[in-house]
Amino acid sequence: MSHPWFAGQTLPRVLAHRGFVPHDSVNVAENSVAALAAARAAGTVYLESDCHLTSDGVVVLFHDDDLSRVTGDPRPVADVTSRELSEIMSTRGGLATLGDALDAFPDARFNLDVKAAAAATEVGRLVARHADRVLVTSFSDDRRRAALEAARAKGGNPATSAGSATLARILLGAKTGLRALARSALDSIDALQVPARHRGIRIVTPRLIAAAHEAGVEVHVWTVNDPEEMVRLVALGVDGIVSDDAALAVHTVVRGRPTGPIPGSPEHLL
């Protein structure tokens, strides 16, 4: 790939989904500073996370629209201040703001999903000076493009993957053999980040992988926690595995399948 986000790393890539929460950890939440640090310690360079905006305009790494699942607080992220959220997360691995995370992990490469429209412009501004090690994505192509435009306005050019509308065009082109349709949609992106299946329908197929690779675009599959599925997908030709269990994924697809239990991973997964 031509973008620096892809350079110098061995395939397949392992992307730590919301960081990594080891199975024996206590009081560590997904997307926290501790989870990001654990992912790096597990051996992955790529940190996947999500971006929301607090009421005082701070971009934080948080997946859900509200705090209920992670903290038990029912309020939306958009209704709390960064100081309030920092206090809440202080016993859950520490709040990761986007600005602080980019500075705290200077050797990591970030895969950032813009979850809220209000966060898009600020995400772009923050990642601009780190653009060589950032990939911006979103289910919404509008949010994704808004973040990219904000980054480019400040002199940065992050990598990007397809949003839902772009992905639909690519899938249609690959399925029907309309190569021009797939190729035109693939021209604007660096990676396809997709589930292996959606509602029982196979998304990741040899035809899709071939179409992407022909256009110089990588295929990353989420969220894969079963080692046999990881091995199957890599054999099929995918370029990246997005996993909740970075330690398991690194040992399975980067270092080769282990013969014994992996620290932090349940034995029954091996």
Side-chain angles (χ1 to χ4, degrees):
M1 301 299 298
S2 58
H3 193 279
W5 190 89
F6 300 89
Q9 299 299 315
T10 303
L11 291 176
R13 309 179 196 282
V14 171
L15 288 74
H17 188 236
R18 308 179 197 173
F20 173 46
V21 180
H23 300 281
D24 58 355
S25 64
V26 178
N27 296 330
V28 174
E30 64 185 38
N31 283 324
S32 64
V33 174
L36 300 179
R40 292 291 285 118
T44 183
V45 171
Y46 293 96
L47 304 177
E48 188 278 342
S49 194
D50 312 280
C51 297
H52 276 280
L53 198 69
T54 61
S55 64
D56 53 340
V58 176
V59 178
V60 292
L61 302 188
F62 213 88
H63 179 270
D64 299 354
D65 292 339
D66 62 61
L67 310 181
S68 57
R69 180 177 62 85
V70 174
T71 74
D73 188 319
R75 291 178 293 173
V77 176
D79 287 354
V80 299
T81 67
S82 56
R83 181 174 180 177
E84 288 176 302
L85 189 52
S86 181
E87 291 174 355
I88 292 169
M89 291 295 291
S90 64
T91 58
R92 295 173 172 86
L95 175 66
T97 69
L98 176 56
D100 287 348
L102 289 166
D103 290 335
F105 299 95
D107 297 325
R109 301 185 190 183
F110 286 81
N111 195 103
L112 299 172
D113 185 348
V114 183
K115 291 294 187 187
T121 298
E122 187 62 17
V123 168
R125 291 170 179 163
L126 287 169
V127 305
R129 68 185 180 92
H130 304 275
D132 283 358
R133 58 191 185 94
V134 172
L135 184 149
V136 171
T137 187
S138 177
F139 286 113
S140 163
D141 279 304
D142 288 343
R143 292 198 298 264
R144 176 179 68 88
R145 292 187 183 113
L148 291 174
E149 288 170 6
R152 290 165 182 163
K154 293 185 69 68
N157 188 32
T160 191
S161 69
S164 297
T166 301
L167 178 59
R169 291 170 57 208
I170 295 166
L171 291 173
L172 178 62
K175 182 176 181 179
T176 60
L178 297 174
R179 296 163 67 101
L181 176 62
R183 190 162 49 245
S184 66
L186 287 162
D187 278 346
S188 63
I189 63 170
D190 303 288
L192 284 178
Q193 297 182 334
V194 294
R197 298 172 183 82
H198 179 64
R199 296 179 178 176
I201 299 172
R202 279 206 307 163
I203 302 297
V204 179
T205 63
R207 183 175 289 182
L208 177 67
I209 294 170
H213 287 175
E214 184 179 328
V217 171
E218 290 198 0
V219 178
H220 306 157
V221 185
W222 51 266
T223 302
V224 188
N225 298 323
D226 175 60
E228 292 185 0
E229 178 70 348
M230 294 176 190
V231 171
R232 184 190 73 81
L233 289 166
V234 170
L236 198 62
V238 306
D239 307 285
I241 297 293
V242 184
S243 180
D244 294 319
D245 195 330
L248 177 63
V250 167
H251 279 264
T252 301
V253 304
V254 177
R255 298 174 184 165
R257 189 163 183 166
T259 57
I262 298 169
S265 298
E267 289 192 34
H268 73 269
L269 289 180
L270 302 180

